[in-house]
Amino acid sequence: VDNLAVICCELGCWLMHISTDYVFDGNSTAPYLELDKTNPQGVYGHTKLDGELAIQSSGCKYLIIRTAWVFSEYGDNFLKTMLRLSETRDQLGIVNDQIGGPTPAAAIAAACYAIAGGLLSGSGGAGIYHFSGMPEVSWADFAAEIFAQSGRQVTITEILTQDYPTPAKRPLNSRLNCDSLKEQFGILRPDWRTGLEQLCKDIEVN
């Protein structure tokens, strides 16, 4: 990130960087604003915050987009994990006390494209912005919608975070206030259920 930011600074071009809700500790009871205090709880969050700070101190023209709960047909993500597990299991325990806005990767790409157009036309401005899908749900709710749209018969048992320990501490509150992106660039939060519906069709075809 440091080298890329320096190059962008030398060329006078914009740097668009994707960051994460993990820069926060997840203890807030409200959706996080861009200026809320950061307090990452793990290595991933710390490294993402370090990247943000390096970009901001580089002197380049930057736009940092924090997002959460990203899913797509590629790589490892919650959607693909649920579909894989449903092939061999008909009952799963899913966490229900972590809340966030699932975000289709395609929606992030579309937002970046729209932002780039806005910057070139002189609208919007540099800084940090939040972008995530709506409505906000728990992982259990997200899983239920995945199984419903993919036609998988899986019974979900709702559990607490403490019942499913992971190496990386996950925020209980991953909700992001996305009003600034709407105000500056006119970009609305995507309905993740629409993106999920298309992905389930694409995955089924492939």
Side-chain angles (χ1 to χ4, degrees):
V1 173
D2 288 345
N3 291 337
L4 185 59
V6 169
I7 292 172
C8 288
C9 188
E10 293 174 348
L11 296 176
C13 64
W14 285 90
L15 172 60
M16 195 176 300
H17 177 73
I18 305 298
S19 191
T20 174
D21 64 292
Y22 274 65
V23 299
F24 300 112
D25 58 23
N27 293 328
S28 174
T29 57
Y32 281 98
L33 297 165
E34 287 83 352
L35 294 179
D36 282 341
K37 182 180 178 181
T38 55
N39 185 28
Q41 298 296 294
V43 174
Y44 175 67
H46 276 288
T47 56
K48 295 298 283 187
L49 180 58
D50 288 344
E52 289 187 12
L53 296 175
I55 291 170
Q56 293 177 74
S57 63
S58 70
C60 75
K61 297 184 294 184
Y62 69 87
L63 195 141
I64 295 169
I65 302 172
R66 293 179 182 144
T67 189
W69 292 26
V70 181
F71 66 94
S72 77
E73 68 269 45
Y74 303 109
D76 294 324
N77 59 77
F78 188 75
L79 165 62
K80 294 188 69 178
T81 297
M82 291 299 102
L83 292 178
R84 175 175 54 80
L85 291 176
S86 69
E87 293 175 356
T88 57
R89 300 171 62 178
D90 59 9
Q91 184 169 348
L92 292 168
I94 309 293
V95 171
N96 74 338
D97 60 345
Q98 296 174 21
I99 307 297
T103 314
I108 299 174
C112 289
Y113 184 81
I115 290 168
L119 293 174
L120 290 174
S121 66
S123 62
I128 299 175
Y129 295 91
H130 289 170
F131 179 73
S132 64
M134 60 175 291
E136 289 154 347
V137 292
S138 70
W139 288 114
D141 295 329
F142 189 14
E145 188 67 20
I146 290 171
F147 297 139
Q149 291 205 23
S150 61
R152 310 292 175 95
Q153 300 299 315
V154 180
T155 299
I156 295 174
T157 300
E158 297 186 350
I159 62 175
L160 300 176
T161 297
Q162 64 190 32
D163 299 324
Y164 186 71
T166 58
K169 182 178 179 181
R170 298 181 179 274
L172 292 179
N173 177 19
S174 290
R175 294 179 298 153
L176 299 173
N177 185 306
C178 304
D179 290 347
S180 292
L181 197 62
K182 176 183 176 181
E183 294 166 0
Q184 291 292 316
F185 294 95
I187 296 175
L188 303 177
R189 300 178 66 182
D191 188 325
W192 58 267
R193 296 167 298 188
T194 301
L196 175 63
E197 180 180 12
Q198 185 58 54
L199 279 175
C200 286
K201 290 178 181 177
D202 292 343
I203 292 173
E204 189 68 27
V205 168
N206 295 327

